[in-house]
Each structure stands twice: as C-alpha cells, then as structure tokens.
Amino acid sequence: MGFITGLKEIPKNIWLISAATLINRIGTMVLPFLALYLTQDKHYSVSSAGLILTVYGIGAFISAPFIGKLSDKVGELLLMRLSLILGGVTLFVYSLLESYFSILALTFVLAVVAEAFRPASMAFISNNITDEIRKPAFALYRLAINLGMSIGPVLGGVLTEIDFHLLFYVDAVTSISAGIFIWLIKWETLSDNSEKNEDEITIEKKAVFRDKNLLLFLLGMLPVTIVFFQHMSTLPIYLVDNLGYSKSMFGLLVSVNTVLIILFELPLNNAMKKTADWKSLLWGAVLSGIGFGLFALFTSIPGIVFIIMIWSFGEMILFPSGNSFISGLAPKGRRGEYMGYYQMMFSLSFI
C-alpha cells in the first residue's frame, strides 16, 4: 500500500514527461548502432568511426551547461519540444549524407540538439516536485528511459538486418512524436508565491563555479560514473574476448540489469524517499564499486549474474539520489543550468 500511495503522490506533469521520454526512448537505436553503421554501411575505418563518436561526446560535453542555462531563460517545455523535433529532422538528414566531413559536422549538431533534452527535462522535473518525492519522481523518469532502452536497441538489431537507414527513420519518427506529444498535451500549471530571502537571492546571483557544494558533488560523482560507464566499454570486451562468452550471452547478462531496474527501482526509491541524499549516494557508490570490482574475481555465469545484481542496486540508488541532490542544491530559476553541468559531468565520464 505504501508503494501505491507513493505513486499517487507523484504529480501529473512527472507522469506526462516520463510518457514523452518513453516514446522517445523506444526509438533510440541510432546511437547504439552508429559505430556499426559507419563501419559496415559506410565502410569507414574503425578509427574514422571512433572520431565521429568522439565528436558526438564532445558536442554533448561542451553544450550541456549552455543548453541548461538556455532552458532557464526560454522554459524547459519549449526547449524539450525543439530538441525532440529538430533532433528528429537531423536524424532524417543524417541518413542522406555521404561525405565523411559532412557526417562529422552533423554529428556535432545532432549531439547539441538531441542532448538538449536531458538537462531541460531534469530541470522540469525539479520544478514540479516537492522535496519529499524527489527520489521516486526521478526513479519514475529513469524507469521510462530503461523501458524504452529495453525495446529500442532490440528493435534496432532487427532493422539492421534489413536496412541500416531504417534506424534513422524510426528514431526520427519517435523523436518527433515525443516532441508533438509535449506540444499538444495539457500540462498542469504550478504557482509559486513563495518569497525569496536574501540568502536565496545571493545564491541565485553567484557564478556556478563559486558554488563549492556543486563542485564537490561533481568531483565526487566523476570517478563513480567513470567506473559505471565501463558496462558500455570494457565490460563487453572483457566478457566476450577475455572470458570467451558469446555476444548473445553478453546481451542476456546485461538484460539482468534492465529487468532489475524495471522491477525494483521505483519501489526502492519510494521506500528510501526520506533517506538523506548523501547517505543514498554513499551506498549507491559503494555497491557500484563493489559490483564492478568483483568482475576481477567471478568468471562463472552465476557469479557474474550475482555481481551484476550488486551494481544494479547501486545504480538504482545512486542516480535518483544524485538527481535529487542536485535538484535540491540548484536555486530556483537556475535548475536547468545546474542540470547542464551535471550532464556535462556524465558526458566527460562517457568520453
């Protein structure tokens, strides 16, 4: 009953933005297969394809804080609509390009446009929730992401067997559809009649890099997220090339993480909603570190499943708590900017 009550406490706007995110993420298939598209369909070398992927990461990295600040000025909903619709159009154009340098240039544009959705959506969630339900609200948002990502790459794998260009068409259609959904849906209007004290006004005027709490938080999260992103880089190489497991077995092992998130992240964070963010961040980081560290010791399938479960629970605690912490840290009117720097830290970890 407590879990059901917790769901009812999440505002309508959070359910709606999660629905839009799910629509978009169901079609997320270009990025997971971009390296294969560049090497197999365009016949570029591995190093040339790697440069294009690096440009995407750089575009997302350097644009995040500016995009976040822009969302504070023009509004999160407007920026999310533009990001999704322009991102969809860019994907259509991307599939038509033949020149390597034109693909390189449009990859940078795609990163800036598509990644603008993240800080804007997180700022929107921050502005539509109370302190008590931050963790469940961000867990619901992550649930939408993971549900979509459990469908998109699988469907993308099927489409690559038919025609690589179908990846761009489906991804573009779902992106534009999500943008139209945000444009047409009726959102609840929130009123804020609270008066600001002098300390709040001082914080709002302060430059981001003078906020010591923000800097300490980002520096603390950076090594944790660098370790976490190994599941997309060194982990598949280790399991397939070093331990000799098949690619399909790797896919099944990774699906353990997705299934656990879908089943447990929302109720887990609802149960922990009154736990201080710093305590949740501590346990999330510790479990993630233990989980990834134990890959050096466990090589059997049951052992690997066990340690995937450990770091999955670390992930389920860590990231909603991180979102909650920075949401509470950011002054009103600057949450997009703070979320932009948070996203920049993720981009740096990914690179």
Side-chain angles (χ1 to χ4, degrees), residues 11-14 16 77 124 128 185-191:
K12 175 184 175 183
N13 283 355
I14 308 304
L16 291 175
L77 285 174
F124 178 80
N128 280 268
I185 204 71
K186 185 176 181 180
W187 300 90
E188 288 185 339
T189 304
L190 300 180
S191 58

Side-chain angles (χ1 to χ4, degrees), residues 210-231:
R210 293 181 61 190
D211 189 334
K212 294 180 180 179
N213 289 329
L214 173 66
L215 294 179
L216 287 172
F217 170 71
L218 295 180
L219 288 174
M221 286 290 286
L222 183 62
V224 185
T225 50
I226 288 175
V227 170
F228 172 77
F229 278 124
Q230 301 311 305
H231 80 282

Side-chain angles (χ1 to χ4, degrees), residues 23 80-81 84-85 173-185 187:
I23 295 170
M80 284 188 284
R81 294 167 190 157
L84 291 167
I85 293 174
V173 167
T174 54
S175 180
I176 293 172
S177 298
I180 293 173
F181 176 85
I182 291 177
W183 207 300
L184 298 180
I185 204 71
W187 300 90

Side-chain angles (χ1 to χ4, degrees), residues 125-314:
I125 293 172
S126 300
N127 289 328
N128 280 268
I129 53 177
T130 59
D131 294 348
E132 292 76 17
I133 61 166
R134 277 182 192 156
K135 290 188 182 77
F138 280 113
L140 176 64
Y141 175 68
R142 274 179 42 86
L143 175 62
I145 293 174
N146 282 283
L147 276 174
M149 290 299 290
S150 67
I151 299 172
V154 174
L155 178 58
V158 176
L159 295 178
T160 57
E161 300 295 335
I162 304 171
D163 187 342
F164 266 107
H165 292 83
L166 292 175
L167 299 176
F168 295 91
Y169 304 151
V170 174
D171 203 334
V173 167
T174 54
S175 180
I176 293 172
S177 298
I180 293 173
F181 176 85
I182 291 177
W183 207 300
L184 298 180
I185 204 71
K186 185 176 181 180
W187 300 90
E188 288 185 339
T189 304
L190 300 180
S191 58
D192 183 11
N193 300 318
S194 60
E195 295 183 0
K196 300 172 184 176
N197 58 41
E198 291 184 4
D199 290 339
E200 289 176 319
I201 294 173
T202 301
I203 291 173
E204 288 185 3
K205 292 180 179 179
K206 185 168 59 177
V208 167
F209 285 108
R210 293 181 61 190
D211 189 334
K212 294 180 180 179
N213 289 329
L214 173 66
L215 294 179
L216 287 172
F217 170 71
L218 295 180
L219 288 174
M221 286 290 286
L222 183 62
V224 185
T225 50
I226 288 175
V227 170
F228 172 77
F229 278 124
Q230 301 311 305
H231 80 282
M232 300 178 66
S233 54
T234 53
L235 183 59
I237 295 173
Y238 174 66
L239 293 179
V240 175
D241 292 349
N242 290 68
L243 298 186
Y245 292 114
S246 66
K247 294 176 183 177
S248 58
M249 177 56 70
F250 169 72
L252 288 173
L253 289 171
V254 171
S255 68
V256 173
N257 169 259
T258 305
V259 171
L260 288 172
I261 288 174
I262 292 172
L263 292 177
F264 295 111
E265 181 164 338
L266 191 50
L268 177 63
N269 280 274
N270 183 65
M272 297 180 66
K273 63 184 178 182
K274 294 184 179 180
T275 304
D277 288 333
W278 71 267
K279 291 182 180 179
S280 301
L281 287 167
L282 171 63
W283 283 110
V286 168
L287 289 174
S288 297
I290 291 173
F292 280 98
L294 288 177
F295 275 110
L297 303 177
F298 289 80
T299 57
S300 66
I301 294 297
I304 292 173
V305 169
F306 173 68
I307 55 180
I308 287 176
M309 291 174 66
I310 293 176
W311 68 256
S312 294
F313 275 92

Side-chain angles (χ1 to χ4, degrees), residues 320-334:
S321 299
N323 295 340
S324 174
F325 181 85
I326 200 164
S327 172
L329 189 65
K332 291 180 181 178
R334 295 184 65 184

